[in-house]
Amino acid sequence: MKKIYNFSAGPSTLPVEVLEKAQKEMLDYKNSGMSVMEMSHRSSLYDEIHNEAKEDLMKLMGLDEDYELLFLQGGGSTQFAMIPMNLLNKDDIASYLITGSWADKAYKEAKKFAKPEILASSKEDIYTYIPEIDESKMNEKSKFLYLCVNNTIYGTRISPEKIGKLNKPLVADISSNILSEKYDYNKFDLVFAGAQKNLGPAGVTIVALKKDLIKETREEIPTMLSYKTHADKNSLYNTPPCFAIYVTGLVAKWIKKMGGVEAMEEINKEKSKLLYDFIDNSSLYKNNVKLEDRSLMNIVFVTGDAELDAKFVKGAKEKGLENLKGHRTVGGMRASIYNAMPIEGVKALIDYMKDFERENR
Amino acid sequence: MKKIYNFSAGPSTLPVEVLEKAQKEMLDYKNSGMSVMEMSHRSSLYDEIHNEAKEDLMKLMGLDEDYELLFLQGGGSTQFAMIPMNLLNKDDIASYLITGSWADKAYKEAKKFAKPEILASSKEDIYTYIPEIDESKMNEKSKFLYLCVNNTIYGTRISPEKIGKLNKPLVADISSNILSEKYDYNKFDLVFAGAQKNLGPAGVTIVALKKDLIKETREEIPTMLSYKTHADKNSLYNTPPCFAIYVTGLVAKWIKKMGGVEAMEEINKEKSKLLYDFIDNSSLYKNNVKLEDRSLMNIVFVTGDAELDAKFVKGAKEKGLENLKGHRTVGGMRASIYNAMPIEGVKALIDYMKDFERENR
């Protein structure tokens, strides 16, 4: 088997142990004679997978029974519509912090269903920092504040320290750093995450929301886009993406085994510090993000020369360091080092960066 | 490994060859060092999987370049909303043939967005037959006729012979018998199928529609519920359910290798005939569906005694014949014998039915 390190921003690398377990159980889950893909979603065997994944995720997130955790489909892009459809009436105002193109997409989608407003934006500085979260500047009629906690494309994050307890409800996209470091998710009223970055395969979206937000939706909302539809049926209103939920559950168990979110945070801080320190001390590579807003998950860097960047990415691939090309909208390089990326991967990347710097001085 | 036959209505049995291939490639797809679950959906390696699955399915369905095939999420239940949202204006009329609770759900969901009408219904006879498709009875303003071609719960199907070329566009749910026998899908303007019955794992929905139906949707339609969003980006507007698409692609290749839809039809007719003939000649079991409307995929039967039915299902499970319980709304038994169910499974079921009949006369 070819040995590589996969720095893809998503779908992204998964723990080898998880893949090995899924492989082993592929044709015969727990001596049932069935693959998880073949099981009725109404069977007790699948129920156990579904409920264990749900409970493990809620425990890892530190959420109690005031919250409901849903397994939905359609990715973050579907949440951009579901959030205003479920939480707002047509004339309601909500505040959006624009920290990147995903937050901007969420804001624009909300315009279809309500009256979102921009609280602050760092667009003019190509999203290289997180604007201040100043509740006093929010429209007092605003129904919630929407944040994207980690910005995959730009390599920024809103650190746990920056998220105080607000008076307004807090809604957040946590797709790319869920369970990577300790956040007090009880400060949030609704969080969502596409699994394919830090949690599992593409095809399942985790939504955790306060139960008091789950209400009958307006008549014109599609049944499948109502949180109540799914909450009332424990995410089994219709056939859920069973296999994606199963693998996500395996990842949750792997995180627990590794020592939980605290252990993930420790290793993620070590991994990102290694890489940021190397970049900061290098004369070739540069990271343009404001120090306190740097992401632990997605580390962006440039040489300042687009041709040299392309050469870097090509050479890296030849060394088995895959998917280091930055997002097409910003160029440069991006190393996504999610929970499942071992520290050896980061060290191998730094070794290559050193060699490349020496050869291209 | 435990050897069973899985008669689940969905998610359901998959070809062993497909599961073995997915197992083999789980940690290392084509010497890439990556699982399909770990691949960027923007990579050339994934592109190949995505496009081959699309092309193979279109070829198997006999669709030409007038059609677009989409990989969506959210199951048939999401299509119940997307169809009227995309094809109708608020005051538009569409006709629905009510052949079971899924068609009825589609009709009810359409009421949120337009003015659907019931062309005919077999509800009063517990959906044991398919009402006549009489275009002359359709409201002349109707924009399309909606059908559910195979009714999983009731064991009925609209046979290919019953689907003539209509003057109105034809929209159909083909979830539970896609690629099981030869239909001229070019007679349809839009068909959809949740993969988890006859095509692959849960988590991906196939939609094939005529390109001239793909239009800019109304402002208030969520971006993710517009066919145009997905058609414009070859189902890669956001991260698709890559692994589910990959397995569906493997199933399509398996069907091709087995001889295509013609070969599937031949064996499916043989399998269903064996079981129907046995039921019809038995003094214990009874199938209440009108002969010409019998499904080849879902074969329902009862003993006429609910306690005996329960005993049958329990005893079957002990013999490795799983998931034979009928849908909770109708009771009795149901054997779902999709493409991937080998004829040996049907024979094993009949052997058990014989023994059970002898012991419970």
Side-chain angles (χ1 to χ4, degrees):
Chain A
M1 185 183 142
K2 195 174 162 186
K3 175 75 183 161
I4 64 139
Y5 291 110
N6 175 14
F7 295 92
S8 172
S12 43
T13 197
L14 289 167
V16 173
E17 269 181 67
V18 165
L19 292 172
E20 284 173 348
K21 188 155 175 72
Q23 182 177 49
K24 191 163 165 270
E25 296 178 337
M26 179 58 85
L27 280 92
D28 188 15
Y29 178 79
K30 287 195 177 175
N31 198 34
S32 66
M34 279 182 256
S35 172
V36 174
M37 288 191 267
E38 300 178 297
M39 272 176 208
S40 168
H41 58 298
R42 307 283 175 208
S43 64
S44 56
L45 206 53
Y46 176 70
D47 239 27
E48 188 184 272
I49 292 170
H50 191 88
N51 290 326
E52 277 189 25
K54 179 178 170 177
E55 283 159 27
D56 285 342
L57 288 169
M58 286 189 75
K59 258 183 226 158
L60 285 167
M61 293 176 76
L63 298 174
D64 62 21
E65 69 276 15
D66 291 345
Y67 286 83
E68 175 68 27
L69 187 138
L70 304 173
F71 296 117
L72 303 182
Q73 296 185 61
S77 298
T78 300
Q79 292 313 305
F80 299 165
M82 282 180 76
I83 288 165
M85 281 176 137
N86 282 268
L87 308 189
L88 299 175
N89 285 308
K90 274 184 184 169
D91 292 322
D92 282 349
I93 292 163
S95 303
Y96 281 68
L97 191 76
I98 309 298
T99 53
S101 65
W102 292 107
D104 191 49
K105 277 188 187 181
Y107 161 72
K108 283 179 178 145
E109 186 74 9
K111 283 186 180 181
K112 286 173 174 275
F113 315 105
K115 306 253 178 289
E117 293 182 351
I118 293 177
L119 175 63
S121 168
S122 49
K123 186 173 184 183
E124 285 195 4
D125 292 288
I126 324 169
Y127 301 121
T128 49
Y129 72 97
I130 302 293
E132 195 195 355
I133 302 171
D134 183 352
E135 202 174 6
S136 73
K137 288 184 181 156
M138 269 172 74
N139 188 319
E140 59 181 25
K141 288 187 183 155
S142 184
K143 297 285 183 188
F144 61 74
L145 173 62
Y146 178 98
L147 308 173
C148 180
V149 174
N150 187 80
N151 297 280
T152 325
I153 298 176
Y154 312 94
T156 65
R157 90 184 199 291
I158 308 176
S159 65
E161 298 73 37
K162 284 207 173 176
I163 299 178
K165 182 70 193 146
L166 301 178
N167 291 313
K168 300 281 188 188
L170 195 54
V171 170
D173 178 352
I174 58 169
S175 294
S176 50
N177 76 340
I178 184 171
L179 303 182
S180 66
E181 63 179 315
K182 199 85 187 160
Y183 280 84
D184 180 359
Y185 290 121
N186 291 289
K187 285 183 182 165
F188 297 82
D189 296 77
L190 185 154
V191 290
F192 69 91
Q196 72 273 9
K197 296 181 182 291
N198 208 20
L199 217 52
V204 61
T205 310
I206 313 303
V207 178
L209 75 170
K210 279 204 174 145
K211 284 182 179 163
D212 59 20
L213 291 179
I214 301 166
K215 286 176 192 154
E216 209 68 63
T217 40
R218 284 171 280 152
E219 175 61 29
E220 71 272 21
I221 308 290
T223 305
M224 283 292 289
L225 296 195
S226 159
Y227 292 125
K228 190 169 191 320
T229 299
H230 302 285
D232 284 353
K233 300 285 185 183
N234 190 28
S235 303
L236 288 159
Y237 171 74
N238 70 340
T239 318
C242 306
F243 192 77
I245 293 169
Y246 156 70
V247 177
T248 301
L250 293 180
V251 172
K253 285 196 194 305
W254 174 80
I255 296 175
K256 276 169 69 179
K257 195 189 112 186
M258 297 291 285
V261 178
E262 290 79 0
M264 288 292 131
E265 175 170 331
E266 195 180 322
I267 181 77
N268 286 331
K269 287 192 166 163
E270 188 181 346
K271 277 152 54 183
S272 56
K273 187 174 187 308
L274 270 181
L275 192 46
Y276 280 124
D277 282 352
F278 173 75
I279 292 169
D280 292 342
N281 290 316
S282 131
S283 56
L284 180 63
Y285 309 104
K286 197 164 160 31
N287 167 284
N288 293 313
V289 173
K290 191 175 173 188
L291 285 184
E292 64 194 64
D293 297 332
R294 282 174 163 183
S295 170
L296 306 186
M297 297 283 99
N298 311 97
I299 297 181
V300 295
F301 54 99
V302 292
T303 64
D305 172 343
E307 256 179 60
L308 203 56
D309 288 351
K311 190 178 170 191
F312 178 96
V313 171
K314 190 164 174 282
K317 192 176 165 66
E318 283 159 14
K319 302 271 181 194
L321 306 167
E322 298 260 5
N323 293 309
L324 281 161
K325 198 176 165 186
H327 192 268
R328 59 192 183 282
T329 55
V330 293
M333 278 76 75
R334 171 176 52 180
S336 295
I337 52 173
Y338 297 119
N339 285 348
M341 172 60 67
I343 197 160
E344 292 74 22
V346 176
K347 288 179 179 167
L349 171 60
I350 292 173
D351 285 345
Y352 167 71
M353 288 170 82
K354 279 183 196 162
D355 292 346
F356 186 84
E357 183 168 356
R358 197 179 318 112
E359 289 157 20
N360 292 277
R361 219 185 298 263
Chain B
M1 184 183 143
K2 195 173 163 187
K3 176 74 183 161
I4 64 140
Y5 291 110
N6 174 15
F7 295 92
S8 171
S12 42
T13 196
L14 288 167
V16 173
E17 270 180 66
V18 164
L19 292 172
E20 284 172 347
K21 190 157 173 69
Q23 181 177 49
K24 191 163 165 271
E25 296 178 337
M26 179 57 85
L27 279 91
D28 188 15
Y29 178 79
K30 287 195 176 176
N31 198 33
S32 66
M34 278 181 257
S35 172
V36 174
M37 286 191 268
E38 301 178 297
M39 273 177 208
S40 167
H41 59 299
R42 307 284 176 208
S43 64
S44 56
L45 207 54
Y46 176 70
D47 239 27
E48 188 183 274
I49 292 170
H50 191 88
N51 290 324
E52 277 189 26
K54 179 178 170 177
E55 283 159 27
D56 285 342
L57 287 168
M58 287 189 74
K59 258 183 225 156
L60 286 167
M61 294 175 77
L63 298 174
D64 62 21
E65 69 278 13
D66 291 345
Y67 286 82
E68 176 68 26
L69 187 137
L70 304 173
F71 296 118
L72 302 182
Q73 296 184 61
S77 298
T78 300
Q79 292 313 304
F80 298 165
M82 282 181 78
I83 288 164
M85 281 178 137
N86 282 267
L87 307 188
L88 299 175
N89 284 308
K90 276 185 180 168
D91 292 322
D92 282 349
I93 292 163
S95 303
Y96 281 69
L97 191 76
I98 310 297
T99 53
S101 65
W102 292 107
D104 191 50
K105 277 187 187 180
Y107 161 72
K108 284 180 178 145
E109 186 75 8
K111 283 187 179 179
K112 287 173 174 275
F113 315 105
K115 305 252 177 291
E117 293 182 353
I118 294 176
L119 175 63
S121 169
S122 51
K123 187 173 183 181
E124 285 194 4
D125 292 289
I126 324 170
Y127 301 121
T128 48
Y129 71 97
I130 302 293
E132 196 193 355
I133 301 171
D134 184 351
E135 202 174 4
S136 73
K137 288 184 182 156
M138 267 172 75
N139 188 319
E140 59 181 26
K141 287 187 185 157
S142 183
K143 297 287 182 188
F144 62 73
L145 172 62
Y146 179 98
L147 308 172
C148 181
V149 174
N150 188 81
N151 298 280
T152 325
I153 298 176
Y154 312 94
T156 66
R157 91 185 196 291
I158 308 176
S159 66
E161 299 74 37
K162 284 209 173 174
I163 299 178
K165 182 69 193 148
L166 301 179
N167 292 312
K168 300 281 189 190
L170 196 54
V171 170
D173 178 353
I174 58 169
S175 293
S176 50
N177 76 341
I178 184 172
L179 303 181
S180 66
E181 63 179 317
K182 199 83 187 162
Y183 280 85
D184 181 358
Y185 290 121
N186 292 287
K187 286 182 182 165
F188 297 82
D189 296 77
L190 185 154
V191 290
F192 69 90
Q196 71 274 10
K197 294 181 184 292
N198 208 21
L199 217 52
V204 60
T205 311
I206 313 303
V207 178
L209 75 170
K210 279 204 175 146
K211 284 182 180 165
D212 59 19
L213 291 179
I214 301 166
K215 286 176 192 151
E216 210 67 64
T217 40
R218 283 171 280 152
E219 175 61 29
E220 72 272 22
I221 308 290
T223 305
M224 284 293 289
L225 297 196
S226 159
Y227 292 126
K228 191 169 192 314
T229 299
H230 302 285
D232 284 354
K233 300 285 184 183
N234 190 28
S235 304
L236 287 158
Y237 170 75
N238 71 338
T239 317
C242 305
F243 192 78
I245 293 169
Y246 155 70
V247 177
T248 301
L250 293 181
V251 173
K253 284 195 195 307
W254 174 81
I255 295 175
K256 276 170 69 179
K257 196 190 111 186
M258 297 291 285
V261 178
E262 290 79 0
M264 289 292 129
E265 173 169 333
E266 197 180 320
I267 181 78
N268 287 330
K269 286 191 167 163
E270 189 182 345
K271 277 151 51 182
S272 56
K273 188 175 186 308
L274 270 181
L275 192 46
Y276 281 124
D277 282 353
F278 173 75
I279 292 169
D280 292 341
N281 290 315
S282 130
S283 56
L284 181 63
Y285 310 104
K286 198 164 159 28
N287 167 284
N288 292 314
V289 173
K290 191 174 172 189
L291 285 185
E292 64 194 64
D293 297 331
R294 282 174 163 182
S295 170
L296 307 186
M297 297 284 97
N298 311 97
I299 297 181
V300 295
F301 53 98
V302 292
T303 64
D305 172 343
E307 254 179 62
L308 202 57
D309 289 350
K311 188 177 173 193
F312 178 95
V313 171
K314 189 164 175 281
K317 192 177 165 67
E318 283 159 13
K319 302 270 182 197
L321 305 167
E322 297 261 5
N323 292 310
L324 281 161
K325 196 175 166 189
H327 192 270
R328 59 191 184 281
T329 55
V330 293
M333 279 76 75
R334 171 175 55 178
S336 295
I337 52 172
Y338 297 121
N339 285 347
M341 172 60 68
I343 196 161
E344 292 73 23
V346 176
K347 288 178 179 166
L349 171 60
I350 292 173
D351 286 345
Y352 167 71
M353 288 170 81
K354 279 183 197 161
D355 291 346
F356 185 85
E357 182 167 356
R358 198 179 317 110
E359 289 158 20
N360 292 277
R361 218 184 301 263

